[in-house]
Amino acid sequence: MKIKRALLIGIVIWIIAILFYSVSYSIPIMENMETQANLVLFVVVIPLVWFGCTFYYKKDLQTHGYLVGQTMLLTAVILDALITVPFFVIPKGGSHFSFFTSLGFWIIAAEFLLVSVLYWYSRVYPKTKLLKN
């Protein structure tokens, strides 16, 4: 596994996702802004992880999508713990506990892993089967 590559992609995904999340607060569409931001994040994570996997697998066809997704996700989780929660959540009265135990967090984390695994099965796995034959 190309750990440095997966970490860098995870950082880029986190930066873009946090930008979308933050901007969604300035465009009031729903009454509950937190739900709106989570919905925006839910939608944005799909193409971000897909393109992140596309970039990762240009150099490595050996690593399973779950491992790549897990590495990128853990990178984003660490950045959430170090930056997102202290600067965005705590000033609004939240905490690390409330952030990491919220249903929205876990749904988006599961989606993150699911997209990376689906990418691997749809784009990488068929290539590895061809290489073995």
Side-chain angles (χ1 to χ4, degrees):
M1 176 173 191
K2 309 240 182 261
I3 295 174
K4 188 176 180 181
R5 187 175 188 85
L7 292 173
L8 288 172
I9 294 167
I11 291 169
V12 170
I13 289 172
W14 177 82
I15 290 169
I16 296 169
I18 203 74
L19 286 172
F20 273 92
Y21 185 85
S22 298
V23 168
S24 73
Y25 277 97
S26 64
I27 306 168
I29 296 172
M30 297 175 69
E31 194 172 307
N32 185 335
M33 294 304 287
E34 184 68 28
T35 301
Q36 176 180 308
N38 279 333
L39 283 172
V40 167
L41 194 55
F42 183 80
V43 171
V44 166
V45 161
I46 296 168
L48 286 177
V49 173
W50 192 269
F51 289 125
C53 287
T54 301
F55 186 72
Y56 178 85
Y57 284 111
K58 285 183 177 182
K59 302 269 182 172
D60 175 23
L61 294 178
Q62 302 301 315
T63 308
H64 194 282
Y66 181 79
L67 217 53
V68 173
Q70 185 179 31
T71 304
M72 294 187 304
L73 174 62
L74 288 175
T75 302
V77 167
I78 290 168
L79 290 170
D80 279 339
L82 296 175
I83 299 170
T84 306
V85 174
F87 293 104
F88 296 102
V89 176
I90 291 175
K92 293 180 183 175
S95 66
H96 280 87
F97 182 80
S98 67
F99 181 84
F100 289 111
T101 58
S102 72
L103 182 60
F105 172 82
W106 287 104
I107 290 171
I108 291 167
E111 175 193 30
F112 202 111
L113 293 174
L114 181 65
V115 170
S116 62
V117 169
L118 288 174
Y119 182 90
W120 188 80
Y121 275 112
S122 67
R123 301 293 172 112
V124 180
Y125 182 68
K127 289 179 187 175
T128 60
K129 284 192 91 166
L130 288 174
L131 291 174
K132 289 180 183 176
N133 292 335

